[in-house]
Amino acid sequence: VTNSDSLYQELRPQIEALIEPVLKVSKLCLNQRGGFLPHGAVLTAEEKIILVGASVAGEDVDTLAAPADLLPTLHEGMRETVRESGGVATAVSEDVTIHRDGMAATRAIKVLFEHQRGLAVALYIPFLKPLFRGYQYLPMISTVAQAEVNAWSKT
Amino acid sequence: MVQDLGMEGSVDTPMPQSRQLPESALGRTLPVGRFLALIVELSVESRGNACDQGVVSPAASARSFVT
């Protein structure tokens, strides 16, 4: 058992607590809009969840935004929220396409979880949209990942 | 014990292996104001009261909502 293994086991309750509200937003928007923009959440030391969304300057209700344009702003907003709230973990959800060996490309909700103690895990929930039916979510895939928000970086 | 997250699949019990999963981000554009309104709606639902806690960052482009 490595340190990462034990850390992962120790932090699983926090991972689950943080990704649940994030997935709720992603799935609701998928159902309503057929997609979603990057968004995230911060878990504080007091176990409070803070949802974080990013916008564009001068936006009104119908201003269109692309995920790639929002992601840097969202990451900055996450770092700022962590600083202000004493956050201990972050999760960012993105609408991605994954490519697995021998399988057709599949859309997936990707949630990147980062913890103050150095753990970074990417969780993928692939999904399908059969004609005339609701979204079908497939079993979650998790991988170790590189941190992207880096909310506790000293630099 | 794996917690039921109300979805198919849950956080893996063992530490995930160091395997990369090739991915590409979707370039789909969406109305950002409507999306943020959805987050506010969920935040309000969670808190059970009006979401007057939303803050605008100094960058005027990222907003957080306490849930």
Side-chain angles (χ1 to χ4, degrees):
Chain A
V1 177
T2 67
N3 287 340
S4 293
D5 290 329
S6 57
L7 184 58
Y8 182 78
Q9 293 301 329
E10 183 184 338
L11 297 180
R12 272 183 55 214
Q14 291 190 6
I15 297 174
E16 291 171 339
L18 190 53
I19 68 171
E20 184 177 9
V22 170
L23 285 176
K24 188 175 180 182
V25 172
S26 301
K27 288 182 174 180
L28 186 62
C29 196
L30 263 179
N31 285 331
Q32 292 187 357
R33 298 268 162 190
F36 62 90
L37 294 169
H39 62 99
V42 171
L43 178 69
T44 71
E46 296 79 27
E47 300 185 345
K48 187 169 68 177
I49 304 281
I50 302 173
L51 297 180
V52 181
S55 186
V56 292
E59 139 259 325
D60 66 27
V61 75
D62 288 316
T63 301
L64 293 175
D69 296 334
L70 290 179
L71 209 50
T73 301
L74 177 64
H75 286 172
E76 181 51 41
M78 302 283 292
R79 288 189 284 269
E80 181 184 316
T81 304
V82 164
R83 281 195 299 271
E84 291 177 348
S85 68
V88 297
T90 61
V92 171
S93 182
E94 292 179 70
D95 189 347
V96 302
T97 299
I98 57 174
H99 310 270
R100 290 175 286 179
D101 289 343
M103 301 179 71
T106 313
R107 284 181 69 190
I109 301 172
K110 174 192 176 186
V111 181
L112 179 62
F113 175 90
E114 298 175 38
H115 197 276
Q116 184 179 27
R117 292 169 64 186
L119 183 71
V121 182
L123 307 164
Y124 297 88
I125 300 97
F127 62 86
L128 307 170
K129 176 66 176 76
L131 272 179
F132 311 119
R133 288 162 55 192
Y135 284 92
Q136 179 184 355
Y137 296 98
L138 305 177
M140 183 184 292
I141 304 164
S142 51
T143 73
V144 292
Q146 291 290 319
E148 295 178 7
V149 176
N150 289 306
W152 303 275
S153 171
K154 301 292 183 195
T155 57
Chain B
M1 183 175 165
V2 175
Q3 183 180 340
D4 179 9
L5 297 177
M7 60 191 175
E8 297 75 7
S10 186
V11 178
D12 284 353
T13 300
M15 175 70 186
Q17 296 304 303
S18 182
R19 53 191 160 86
Q20 297 299 313
L21 191 60
E23 65 173 67
S24 52
L26 285 185
R28 179 172 303 197
T29 58
L30 289 169
V32 65
R34 294 186 190 279
F35 181 68
L36 291 175
L38 187 67
I39 295 179
V40 173
E41 183 182 313
L42 282 177
S43 184
V44 171
E45 185 180 291
S46 302
R47 289 165 51 83
N49 56 28
C51 183
D52 54 5
Q53 309 297 320
V55 296
V56 179
S57 78
S61 50
R63 304 173 188 178
S64 60
F65 310 96
V66 180
T67 61

